[in-house]
Amino acid sequence: QVRLSESGGGSVQAGGSLRLSCVAPDDVLSNYCMAWYRQAPGKEREGVASIDVDRSIEYADSVKGRFTASKDYAKNTLYLQMNNLKPDDTGTYYCAADRDCFSPHMRVDVDDLRYWGQGTQVTVSS
């Protein structure tokens, strides 16, 4: 059973930073497209960033220049460094993995990606 496990969420003031982590099995981190999604209360899940197996990275326009996604293969971990956080960044953040890579600009359903983590909460206050 593949398990993705996020951590690192919390409450910060606007302008602050957080780093989210997602531990994944070695073969998933290496051979699957890894992605970050988020969902705010009452809103649809939206893409934040995706890292393809060729290490190309794509970001949602709303986070470009503020968020950085990366992988550490030695630690089997996907990261999302979030700087200059805004109240609109509030939500539950999920990591996900699939053989196909979806642009963060695409609307996806949960069934579109094979593996999901349980989510970690990020709250940004003004």
Side-chain angles (χ1 to χ4, degrees), residues 7-9 17-21 36 68 70 72 75 77-83 85:
S7 62
S17 297
L18 285 172
R19 187 178 77 160
L20 306 183
S21 301
W36 287 101
T68 302
S70 62
D72 185 333
K75 297 182 178 180
T77 302
L78 171 73
Y79 295 105
L80 184 68
Q81 176 67 43
M82 306 186 296
N83 297 328
L85 282 159

Side-chain angles (χ1 to χ4, degrees), residues 53-108:
V53 293
D54 64 0
R55 306 191 186 192
S56 59
I57 305 175
E58 188 174 359
Y59 296 97
D61 291 343
S62 60
V63 307
K64 207 172 289 184
R66 300 187 298 121
F67 290 12
T68 302
S70 62
K71 292 182 183 180
D72 185 333
Y73 293 97
K75 297 182 178 180
N76 288 355
T77 302
L78 171 73
Y79 295 105
L80 184 68
Q81 176 67 43
M82 306 186 296
N83 297 328
N84 191 20
L85 282 159
K86 303 176 181 181
D88 284 347
D89 295 319
T90 294
T92 303
Y93 283 69
Y94 301 90
C95 69
D98 197 87
R99 293 286 191 181
D100 293 326
C101 211
F102 298 89
S103 165
H105 301 98
M106 289 179 59
R107 180 182 175 277
V108 298

